Amino acid sequence: EADIYQTPRYLVIGTGKKITLECSQTMGHDKMYWYQQDPGMELHLIHYSYGVNSTEKGDLSSESTVSRIRTEHFPLTLESARPSHTSQYLCASQGQRDYNEQFFGPGTRLTVL
Amino acid sequence: GENVEQHPSTLSVQEGDSAVIKCTYSDSASNYFPWYKQELGKRPQLIIDIRSNVGEKKDQRIAVTLNKTAKHFSLHITETQPEDSAVYFCAASKGSNYKLTFGKGTLLTVNP
């Protein structure tokens, strides 16, 4: 079934650790996005990509980095996690046609101790 | 860039009543306005959207209206049910080659 997947779903780590949040989609979409969201709060765009080898920073400054080497894969990396990075991270994808819906993944809830 | 304001931030209604959530946008070039619903612990999901060449769109109990002159659009939910309780986000964009700008969200609570 075509969907968008995120792993891990929950992650608790110590300060200073390097982490990578995985996002994969089997929908054939070229556009992918990363949002940061505290529970029930607004969605902050932190990174987006319109295709392979294309990445842009979003509206909210983030210490994370992303890569887009394959169309279906859009991982997010934190080189040195801090407690201020504790949040939920949502990945989304969108097709090429005009006015296409953004589909969201289930999210990764990150806690940095 | 685009700025989307959403009101109210919280809304509490009795089951069966109507609920209205309003959004304004700043960029007159925006032409696509989706609404997403996010239930507690779940991912946001599209519930309805409208394009700038349409003034109103309905889907069963939900409807969206758009006033391009005033640069505002609204979500209307009639005959609310407890399962309508969620956070609703409005958004705007200039088309598929542009990112979505989201409002800050409205927490809707439908009391039985």
Side-chain angles (χ1 to χ4, degrees), chain A residues 47-89:
Chain A
H47 296 284
Y48 61 102
S49 167
Y50 285 171
V52 171
N53 295 325
S54 155
T55 62
E56 300 286 346
K57 290 188 179 295
D59 306 317
L60 180 68
S61 176
S62 173
E63 295 163 346
S64 58
T65 59
V66 292
S67 62
R68 190 85 183 277
I69 299 172
R70 302 197 323 260
T71 299
E72 63 272 20
H73 194 213
F74 191 38
L76 181 145
T77 299
L78 275 168
E79 290 293 332
S80 179
R82 295 207 297 270
S84 60
H85 296 139
T86 294
S87 189
Q88 173 163 259
Y89 293 84

Side-chain angles (χ1 to χ4, degrees), chain B residues 88-108:
Chain B
Y88 291 80
F89 293 95
C90 65
S93 86
K94 293 185 281 191
S96 65
N97 290 327
Y98 296 88
K99 55 186 171 68
L100 285 175
T101 300
F102 283 91
K104 293 187 176 182
T106 296
L107 173 61
L108 173 64

Side-chain angles (χ1 to χ4, degrees), chain A residues 31 37 59 98 102 104, chain B residues 36 38 43 96-99:
Chain A
K31 298 182 180 64
Q37 183 189 38
D59 306 317
D98 271 348
Q102 270 193 29
F104 284 83
Chain B
Y36 285 79
Q38 186 177 28
R43 67 184 86 180
S96 65
N97 290 327
Y98 296 88
K99 55 186 171 68

Side-chain angles (χ1 to χ4, degrees), chain A residues 94 97-102, chain B residues 2 4 25 27-36 46-53 57 66 68 73 90-96 98-101:
Chain A
Q94 183 179 16
R97 288 183 301 116
D98 271 348
Y99 312 116
N100 256 8
E101 173 182 354
Q102 270 193 29
Chain B
E2 174 68 279
V4 177
Y25 61 98
D27 191 340
S28 57
S30 289
N31 56 16
Y32 176 60
F33 308 93
W35 286 88
Y36 285 79
L46 180 74
I47 55 171
I48 196 168
D49 57 13
I50 192 167
R51 305 175 190 179
S52 61
N53 58 347
K57 184 177 179 180
L66 171 65
K68 284 215 72 178
F73 56 111
C90 65
S93 86
K94 293 185 281 191
S96 65
Y98 296 88
K99 55 186 171 68
L100 285 175
T101 300

Side-chain angles (χ1 to χ4, degrees), chain B residues 4-96:
Chain B
V4 177
E5 299 282 343
Q6 182 172 349
H7 298 280
S9 57
T10 61
L11 179 59
S12 182
V13 300
Q14 290 298 121
E15 183 176 358
D17 288 349
S18 295
V20 180
I21 303 169
K22 299 181 179 181
C23 290
T24 60
Y25 61 98
S26 60
D27 191 340
S28 57
S30 289
N31 56 16
Y32 176 60
F33 308 93
W35 286 88
Y36 285 79
K37 175 184 180 182
Q38 186 177 28
E39 297 177 14
L40 185 63
K42 301 283 185 65
R43 67 184 86 180
Q45 290 191 302
L46 180 74
I47 55 171
I48 196 168
D49 57 13
I50 192 167
R51 305 175 190 179
S52 61
N53 58 347
V54 176
E56 183 176 6
K57 184 177 179 180
K58 289 183 180 180
D59 183 3
Q60 299 182 340
R61 293 187 298 107
I62 60 173
V64 58
T65 58
L66 171 65
N67 184 328
K68 284 215 72 178
T69 303
K71 290 191 283 188
H72 67 72
F73 56 111
S74 301
L75 178 71
H76 304 254
I77 306 174
T78 59
E79 300 173 17
T80 55
Q81 301 168 4
E83 52 265 39
D84 295 328
S85 296
V87 178
Y88 291 80
F89 293 95
C90 65
S93 86
K94 293 185 281 191
S96 65

